[in-house]
């Protein structure tokens, strides 16, 4: 049974969403304060955190930043207000796995939670992919360039591995949402892909503005150049 931390200061939202998640077979701890949430997350043991951006004590983005700065890769879904693009993009930049815009259907959130939990399941062991100085090891989920390890988030690694597994094949943002995020443009903004590609290049490429490996196919998508 997956263990979920639900953090929202609206007791009605907490009650309704927790009920839907529990009926979907998940154990839910539902609280309404950011600082209390930080303490729960420090204790660990959660498979997923659902964080409202606007929280008393400590807001959702600050909670997310705190997690990632500590090297904690607990999956996070953000709940953001309609029209607050800065929150969604900021959340992606900080390492959020997904976001849901308020008002939302509880069934949609349950579906998103299932997709994130399925996506972050145990990796399948595979032989490392070697492209000159670049080595991608799926078993250890480790990337090195010229022997130096590159620290990637879970989604950044999954994105790189997917592209590198089919060298020179062009994938649209919709393709990548389907295969890497297990989502679609109807569910998730394709700009999510753009942000993650930019972050990946910043960490991986010697010259992010003139990428060597993760290349843009203008008007079509992205490809991995071996």
């Amino acid at each position: 049974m997956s263990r979920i931390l639900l953090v929202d200061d609206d007791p009605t939202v907490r009650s309704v969403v927790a009920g839907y998640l529990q009926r979907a077979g998940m154990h839910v701890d539902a609280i309404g304060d950011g600082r209390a949430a930080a303490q729960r997350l420090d204790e660990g043991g959660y498979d997923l955190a659902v964080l409202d951006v606007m929280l008393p004590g400590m807001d959702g983005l600050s909670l997310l930043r705190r997690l990632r700065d500590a090297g904690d890769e607990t999956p996070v879904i953000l709940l953001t207000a309609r029209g607050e693009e800065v929150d969604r993009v900021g959340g992606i930049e900080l390492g959020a796995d997904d976001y849901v815009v308020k008002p939302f259907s509880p069934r949609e959130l349950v579906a998103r939670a299932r997709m994130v939990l399925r996506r972050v399941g145990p990796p399948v062991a595979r032989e490392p992919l070697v492209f000159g100085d670049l080595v991608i090891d799926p078993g250890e989920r480790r990337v090195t360039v010229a022997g130096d390890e590159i620290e990637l988030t879970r989604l950044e690694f999954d994105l790189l591995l997917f592209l590198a597994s089919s060298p020179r094949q062009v994938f649209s943002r919709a393709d990548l949402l389907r295969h890497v995020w297990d989502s679609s443009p109807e569910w998730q903004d394709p700009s999510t892909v753009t942000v993650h590609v930019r972050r990946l290049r910043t960490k991986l490429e010697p010259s992010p503005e003139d990428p060597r490996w993760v290349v843009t196919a203008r008007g079509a998508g992205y490809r991995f150049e071996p």
Side-chain angles (χ1 to χ4, degrees):
M1 180 180 290
S2 298
R3 190 175 176 212
I4 313 297
L5 179 64
L6 170 64
V7 191
D8 194 297
D9 63 343
D10 186 325
T12 301
V13 171
R14 288 201 307 273
S15 176
V16 171
V17 172
Y20 272 82
L21 290 169
Q22 288 163 350
R23 285 192 290 276
M26 304 175 196
H27 174 84
V28 182
D29 292 332
I31 56 180
D33 178 82
R35 294 198 183 280
Q39 183 175 349
R40 294 288 189 95
L41 290 168
D42 285 345
E43 294 168 0
Y46 288 103
D47 300 295
L48 173 67
V50 180
L51 309 177
D52 189 13
V53 169
M54 300 300 294
L55 289 170
M58 182 182 294
D59 65 77
L61 292 179
S62 296
L63 274 170
L64 175 59
R65 182 183 295 106
R66 189 173 184 272
L67 272 179
R68 299 302 184 245
D69 285 349
D72 190 328
E73 287 294 313
T74 299
V76 170
I77 295 176
L78 290 176
L79 305 180
T80 72
R82 183 177 300 278
E84 293 299 326
E85 182 180 2
V86 63
D87 290 339
R88 298 196 293 276
V89 174
I92 294 168
E93 292 279 7
L94 290 173
D97 293 79
D98 203 350
Y99 61 83
V100 176
V101 179
K102 290 184 172 183
F104 59 87
S105 160
R107 290 189 180 88
E108 177 188 353
L109 180 56
V110 170
R112 297 288 192 98
R114 282 174 167 160
M115 286 191 293
V116 170
L117 291 168
R118 185 164 61 243
R119 190 170 67 230
V120 300
V124 177
R126 293 172 47 184
E127 291 298 314
L129 304 178
V130 181
F131 304 95
D133 288 342
L134 173 63
V135 180
I136 306 168
D137 188 332
E140 295 187 3
R141 294 185 67 82
R142 186 167 179 261
V143 176
T144 58
V145 176
D148 295 328
E149 185 167 357
I150 308 299
E151 294 291 339
L152 301 179
T153 67
R154 180 177 50 254
L155 273 171
E156 290 162 358
F157 181 89
D158 290 345
L159 175 60
L160 176 62
L161 178 61
F162 179 78
L163 290 169
S165 297
S166 301
R168 296 196 175 94
Q169 182 173 342
V170 175
F171 294 96
S172 68
R173 294 191 299 175
D175 292 331
L176 294 171
L177 281 177
R178 280 190 289 270
H179 293 290
V180 179
W181 276 260
D182 197 14
S183 187
S184 72
E186 289 75 31
W187 285 78
Q188 197 161 16
D189 190 335
S191 65
T192 299
V193 176
T194 307
V195 173
H196 277 84
V197 168
R198 184 171 67 245
R199 285 171 52 88
L200 176 59
R201 285 172 171 166
T202 299
K203 296 180 180 182
L204 180 71
E205 302 280 2
S207 178
E209 300 305 317
D210 185 22
R212 160 70 180 83
W213 289 298
V214 181
V215 178
T216 299
R218 192 168 299 281
Y222 302 98
R223 71 177 189 274
F224 181 85
E225 189 62 35

